[in-house]
Amino acid sequence: MSKGLKLSEILVTVLIAVIFAIIYNLMYLPYNVVQALGFHLEQLTYGIWFMAGVVSYLIIPKPGIALLAEFAAGAGETIVKGEFSIPTIVYAILQGLACEIIFAIFKYKSRSLMVAMLAGCAAAVISLPIDFYYGYMKEVASWNLILFIVFRIISGIVIAGILSYYIVKALDQTGVTKLFRPASQKDYDNL
């Protein structure tokens, strides 16, 4: 497998990002509905915004894919919204970088559930200081802040990690994703 990105891989990554940009914009309604319940329960849905990088990497396990996917999804989200948002781009870039760090630790060779969960967790963790910078987090009571952080991390692990893993696993079953990975021994045995 070549280390550089091919045009087809970049195009598929951007297509995935566009799909997630639309999903991200559609998620604001359920996010706001759950937010009305209080106790930061909306943070349990927040992992959806970390999925583009994880899904893209699980399909195309190469350096830079998660960063490209998150950046393109963030940029697409601002385009779909119809307003340019620098904070959205900052979130996207840092979340993509957090995922890339996890994938680099495993030398871009593992597509395991654990790696997907760690990437989702890393994206959640990196988003927290940005919330402090742009948001109201300095004024939140300690117990409420703990709920916020714990729920965000759980969401990163469950939604961005586990859900992404099983989405890609389902795509693998269809054979669509085989174009981006070398054939395995099982593939040769099936011939």
Side-chain angles (χ1 to χ4, degrees):
M1 180 187 287
S2 68
K3 292 201 183 223
L5 295 176
K6 297 179 201 163
L7 179 60
S8 62
E9 294 166 338
I10 293 169
L11 292 174
V12 167
T13 301
V14 170
L15 177 62
I16 292 167
V18 167
I19 292 166
F20 275 105
I22 294 166
I23 292 169
Y24 292 170
N25 278 284
L26 294 174
M27 267 307 290
Y28 282 108
L29 179 61
Y31 178 84
N32 291 332
V33 168
V34 175
Q35 188 175 33
L37 300 173
F39 298 108
H40 294 296
L41 292 173
E42 76 280 357
Q43 294 305 310
L44 292 171
T45 68
Y46 205 88
I48 196 86
W49 281 281
F50 312 141
M51 287 181 74
V54 178
V55 167
S56 294
Y57 168 78
L58 291 173
I59 292 173
I60 306 166
K62 287 190 173 182
I65 286 291
L67 178 59
L68 174 62
E70 283 293 337
F71 174 74
E77 183 179 0
T78 66
I79 291 168
V80 172
K81 252 192 243 177
E83 60 184 53
F84 184 74
S85 168
I86 290 178
T88 300
I89 301 301
V90 170
Y91 276 103
I93 290 170
L94 291 177
Q95 289 163 192
L97 284 173
C99 291
E100 288 289 340
I101 289 168
I102 297 300
F103 302 141
I105 289 170
F106 291 91
K107 299 179 181 175
Y108 296 94
K109 293 183 191 279
S110 178
R111 295 174 59 239
S112 71
L113 177 59
M114 181 193 67
V115 169
M117 291 168 60
L118 287 171
C121 180
V125 168
I126 199 67
S127 70
L128 293 168
I130 308 166
D131 280 349
F132 278 95
Y133 179 78
Y134 285 118
Y136 60 89
M137 300 310 295
K138 295 172 212 145
E139 292 119 28
V140 175
S142 297
W143 68 270
N144 212 345
L145 183 59
I146 291 168
L147 278 179
F148 184 95
I149 292 168
V150 168
F151 287 167
R152 171 83 57 94
I153 291 171
I154 288 170
S155 182
I157 292 168
V158 172
I159 295 177
I162 297 172
L163 182 59
S164 293
Y165 176 82
Y166 283 107
I167 287 171
V168 173
K169 191 171 182 173
L171 287 172
D172 285 347
Q173 296 297 319
T174 67
V176 172
T177 58
K178 289 185 186 214
L179 297 170
F180 301 102
R181 288 188 298 282
S184 67
Q185 185 59 44
K186 183 180 174 188
D187 293 330
Y188 287 116
D189 293 342
N190 288 335
L191 292 175

